[in-house]
Amino acid sequence: MNRSHFEDVMDKLRQEQEVPDIVWERLEEALDNLPRRRRHSGIRIWRKTAAAAAAFLVVCAIVCYSNPVFASKIPIIGKIFEGIQQEIPFSGDYGKRAQQLLGTDTKAAQEESADLQTKQTASDGGIQVTASEIYCDGMSVFVAAQVYVEQGGLQNIPAHSVIGRDAMSYMLYLRGNWRLVGDGEARALTAYPMEGKVMDDHTFAGMLKLDLEGYRQGQGILALELSGIGWDDTAVENITDIAETHQVGGNWNLQIPFGVDPDVVGEIAVDQARGGYAIQKLFVSPYQVAVYVDAPVTHVEKEISRKDYEEKLGLPEGEEAADLSFADYVALQTTRRQECETVVCNQEGRLLSFGDMSTTQGKTTFAVNGLAISTLHVYVFAGDADCVKADGTLDMDAAQRMAVVSAVVEIP
């Protein structure tokens, strides 16, 4: 590429963009200062490289100066969390904690198997998926990734509000399965949400949150095996429900190493019980709080036959399902736990929003969303309880009186 070609390119840009004269002056200075010695082939190569770099930087400067909105949307692999972390569920400052993936050695993969090749990008069906960063708090794996769709159309994805916060998010739906290499069976992804931002008509940057079966520590490798990627489209007419208007099938297989954050608080035993209700334990990390609650059991008089079990699960006569025995099936059908609702606030009474919208016994997950937490107040209600004050904080005195069981937990 020579000087005259540069001028042709710049003249074309002049016609298409309104750019102040200072930009063109800086361009002329850069071109005038390019090396002109041609004694060695290395110098010629360097000059061509420098010229190409100058052209690229000038074009970027012109486009970004003329269109700052566009510039702010350019996704940067390795820093996706920084761009989306305030506009997704389970928001927070991931940038300081997440592990960057591209170009890093994968010690965990080498230890797992000598011939295992970790893979952080995959392409199929006109779609490229690139894992950018990963974070694990021991309870969930959070993956930031970029999805590039060659055919475009992503700007028609509808926005939705993020629960508990004044923020908007966008969503892709993933199908396939995921697992931890060498640790457990694969778990299905069925229209599983990946939430984030539409960067442009072809590019989506988002986060995928995958919940582990229990609290774990150490290192691992996430195997993400996608078979479908879908999204909604507001431009499609004559539909009653928007649900995966576009679906693209393919194979996108990623293997991503991760390490559990050593600074996570982890599990805290609580063991507060009253009237058959119990707050068993908490799990606390910078981005989520999980509360484990038990409730009284009511026994239901109901006759369950072996035939009922086999027909319900579609089993041949005399066989049992691997994941649900006949005895367990009978127990599920003849017992019922009392419904309850778990509410959590911090030391200031500020409520943690539901992350999974669960309002029954078992594990209920809440999003921290950047709240400062030194103390958690946990309340379990057996019925409706309106204890929220006008400013949006929880009336902790009223909640204490109305709760069937409660606990105050200091966070180390």
Side-chain angles (χ1 to χ4, degrees):
M1 184 181 289
N2 54 37
R3 174 66 185 273
S4 61
H5 182 66
F6 267 135
E7 292 175 339
D8 291 340
V9 172
M10 294 305 109
D11 287 340
K12 188 173 187 300
L13 283 171
R14 265 187 221 268
Q15 298 171 9
E16 296 176 351
Q17 302 280 350
E18 293 184 5
V19 182
D21 290 338
I22 187 64
V23 174
W24 303 113
E25 292 173 8
R26 293 291 181 266
L27 168 63
E28 293 297 330
E29 291 176 6
L31 294 177
D32 287 338
N33 288 327
L34 286 175
R36 303 181 186 283
R37 293 166 55 194
R38 300 178 179 272
R39 186 175 303 169
H40 302 291
S41 60
I43 295 295
R44 291 197 297 272
I45 294 172
W46 190 92
R47 176 178 168 79
K48 290 180 179 180
T49 303
F56 173 78
L57 291 174
V58 168
V59 170
C60 286
I62 292 171
V63 172
C64 293
Y65 187 98
S66 306
N67 192 345
V69 174
F70 172 80
S72 67
K73 291 184 178 181
I74 297 176
I76 302 175
I77 295 296
K79 294 188 176 181
I80 286 179
F81 267 132
E82 289 186 15
I84 67 171
Q85 61 190 9
Q86 299 306 323
E87 292 144 351
I88 54 175
F90 299 93
S91 64
D93 188 0
Y94 289 87
K96 294 181 179 179
R97 295 178 178 269
Q99 172 191 349
Q100 292 191 14
L101 294 170
L102 297 181
T104 61
D105 293 331
T106 56
K107 181 179 179 181
Q110 296 169 5
E111 292 176 349
E112 180 67 30
S113 173
D115 61 353
L116 177 61
Q117 298 296 316
T118 58
K119 188 177 181 184
Q120 288 133 40
T121 186
S123 299
D124 197 10
I127 295 180
Q128 182 180 60
V129 181
T130 302
S132 170
E133 301 129 273
I134 191 167
Y135 175 82
C136 181
D137 61 6
M139 182 65 71
S140 303
V141 179
F142 304 79
V143 183
Q146 177 179 289
V147 179
Y148 178 81
V149 180
E150 186 176 344
Q151 72 182 45
L154 300 185
Q155 287 182 327
N156 290 329
I157 295 178
H160 62 272
S161 58
V162 178
I163 297 171
R165 292 189 299 114
D166 184 19
M168 302 299 290
S169 185
Y170 299 81
M171 186 182 296
L172 294 183
Y173 303 101
L174 306 182
R175 297 182 181 275
N177 61 68
W178 69 276
R179 59 188 171 85
L180 298 186
V181 174
D183 186 11
E185 297 181 355
R187 300 172 64 180
L189 299 172
T190 305
Y192 199 87
M194 176 181 178
E195 299 197 51
K197 283 184 178 181
V198 175
M199 312 306 289
D200 56 49
D201 200 45
H202 298 269
T203 311
F204 181 92
M207 183 184 81
L208 180 65
K209 178 179 182 285
L210 302 169
D211 296 330
L212 305 176
E213 291 186 358
Y215 180 49
R216 64 165 290 152
Q217 295 177 303
Q219 295 181 327
I221 299 175
L222 170 67
L224 188 60
E225 300 163 346
L226 303 179
S227 59
I229 299 175
W231 60 91
D232 297 334
D233 190 340
T234 58
V236 176
E237 299 179 355
N238 301 322
I239 56 174
T240 56
D241 295 314
I242 299 178
E244 282 191 282
T245 310
H246 297 278
Q247 296 184 37
V248 179
N251 290 289
W252 300 270
N253 297 327
L254 308 178
Q255 290 189 336
I256 311 167
F258 66 87
V260 177
D261 186 352
D263 296 328
V264 167
V265 173
E267 292 186 338
I268 303 174
V270 179
D271 297 327
Q272 290 286 331
R274 191 176 72 178
Y277 294 88
I279 302 171
Q280 299 168 326
K281 62 182 179 179
L282 304 183
F283 171 83
V284 182
S285 88
Y287 310 109
Q288 62 181 338
V289 171
V291 183
Y292 293 80
V293 171
D294 200 5
V297 175
T298 301
H299 294 279
V300 179
E301 293 295 331
K302 188 176 182 180
E303 193 71 29
I304 306 294
S305 69
R306 183 84 190 192
K307 184 178 180 181
D308 293 333
Y309 165 73
E310 292 168 352
E311 289 181 350
K312 185 69 174 179
L313 274 67
L315 298 170
E317 184 177 353
E319 290 192 9
E320 288 199 359
D323 56 349
L324 184 63
S325 68
F326 175 62
D328 289 342
Y329 177 79
V330 171
L332 287 174
Q333 296 297 314
T334 57
T335 59
R336 180 176 302 163
R337 292 191 180 275
Q338 296 295 318
E339 291 188 0
C340 59
E341 180 176 0
T342 304
V343 174
V344 179
C345 69
N346 72 350
Q347 63 280 355
E348 299 170 348
R350 299 185 65 183
L351 287 162
L352 275 66
S353 60
F354 288 112
D356 59 6
M357 292 306 293
S358 173
T359 57
T360 60
Q361 73 287 336
K363 185 182 80 170
T364 305
T365 306
F366 299 82
V368 173
N369 288 334
L371 288 181
I373 295 176
S374 60
T375 305
L376 288 175
H377 298 257
V378 184
Y379 305 93
V380 178
F381 302 101
D384 293 336
D386 187 4
C387 306
V388 180
K389 296 188 289 188
D391 63 358
T393 61
L394 187 69
D395 185 334
M396 289 186 278
D397 291 334
Q400 178 69 36
R401 293 192 301 269
M402 300 175 68
V404 293
V405 63
S406 63
V408 178
V409 183
E410 299 296 330
I411 306 303

